[in-house]
Amino acid sequence: MEIKIQRLPLLLLLITVLCFNFNPTSGRVHSVVNARRPLIALVMSYITEAEAVGSSGEFVPSSKTPFVDLYGRRFHLGSIRNVSVVYVLTGQRRLNAGITVQILLDHFKVDGIVHYGTAGSANNSMSFGDVSVPRYVAFTGSWTWTKFSSDLKNDDSSNVLRFGEYNIPNGGENLLSGVKFKTEEFYAVGKSMEEVFWLEINSKWLQIAQNLKVKLERCSNKTYCLPTTPKVVTGLKASTADIFCDNAAYRQFLFEKFGVSTVDEESSAIVMTAMSPGVPVIVFRGVSDLAGGEATWSSTSLMDLASINALKAAIEFIGVLGKQKSLAS
C-alpha cells in the first residue's frame, strides 16, 4: 500500500503532461511538413480568392498530401512555378487573419508569407484594377474617442480626426467630438515591446516586387474593359481596419493625414503576425473600388478584375523568388 501511494503523484504528473501536450493532428502535420522543404505561404481572405488560386492552373496540388485541416481551416499543399507552397483562406477581418497566420507559423516550415486580395483606393492616382504593393501598413481602427469638451481645436497632432470639420454647413462643433488614432503594441523575438503605428514590409522582398514584369488584365469579360491597362505600384502606404470604408470624406482624411493609398481589413494583422518571429511578408492588393470616392463605377463588377490582377502579381513574385533561391543555392 505504501508503494502505491508513493507512485500516485508520479502517475498523475505523467497523465497531466500527456493531456496538455496531446494534439490529435500534430503528429500528422509534422510528419507531412518535415518531409518537405520550407514553404512559401500564400494567404487570402475571401472564398472567391482561394478558389481562384485552385483554378488558376498555376497551383499544382501535392500528390501525397494535397491538404491538411487544422482548427477549421484547410491548408493546401503543393507548388506554384516549382516553388513549394501552402495556401490558406484566413477569413475576413483582422482577428481571423491573425489567428490563421499564427496557426500557419506554428505548424508549417514557412520561409515567407505572400498575402493577396482586394482593396479600396484612397489615392486618386490609383484606380480600378491597379495593384498596390505597400511599403508601410498601419492599423487605423484603434481610437481614443474623446469627450465633447476636449480641446481638439488646439491639438495639432496629425493623428486626430475632428468630426466638427465635416459638418454641413461647414464648421462649428459636433457632439461626437473626435478620435485620436492609437499605436499598436508590437512584440518581436529578441526585442522589447514597442509602440508602433507603421509596419514596414521586408525591404528585400519589396525590391523584388519593384522589378516584377507582369502584364495585368484590362478586361473582366468580353464586354467590360477598363479604358487603360492597370499597373503595379510599389512603396506606398496601406491601412487596415475592421471597417469597410465607403465614405468619400473619410477616404480623403486617410490620404491627407496619413498618406494612405489603399484600405483593407486584414493586411496589418497578417504583416504584424509574420513580423513577430521575423518571417518575411509582402502584400499585393488589387483596387476594386475607390472607398466611397467613385461616382458611377460599380465596385462589384470590378472585384473579380482586381482579384485576378493581384493574384497574377503575387504568383509572378513567387516565381521570381523561387528562381532567385535556386540561383543562390
Side-chain angles (χ1 to χ4, degrees), residues 76-87:
H76 300 263
L77 295 161
S79 63
I80 291 177
R81 299 193 180 181
N82 297 317
V83 178
S84 294
V85 301
V86 52
Y87 82 82

Side-chain angles (χ1 to χ4, degrees), residues 18-30 70-71 107:
L18 288 173
C19 287
F20 275 99
N21 285 279
F22 177 70
N23 184 334
T25 61
S26 63
R28 181 186 174 208
V29 172
H30 287 296
L70 285 169
Y71 306 102
H107 291 278

Side-chain angles (χ1 to χ4, degrees), residues 96-116:
N96 274 327
I99 289 173
T100 306
V101 172
Q102 190 60 59
I103 295 170
L104 180 70
L105 294 172
D106 286 344
H107 291 278
F108 296 87
K109 292 181 178 179
V110 177
D111 261 1
I113 295 175
V114 178
H115 171 47
Y116 104 91

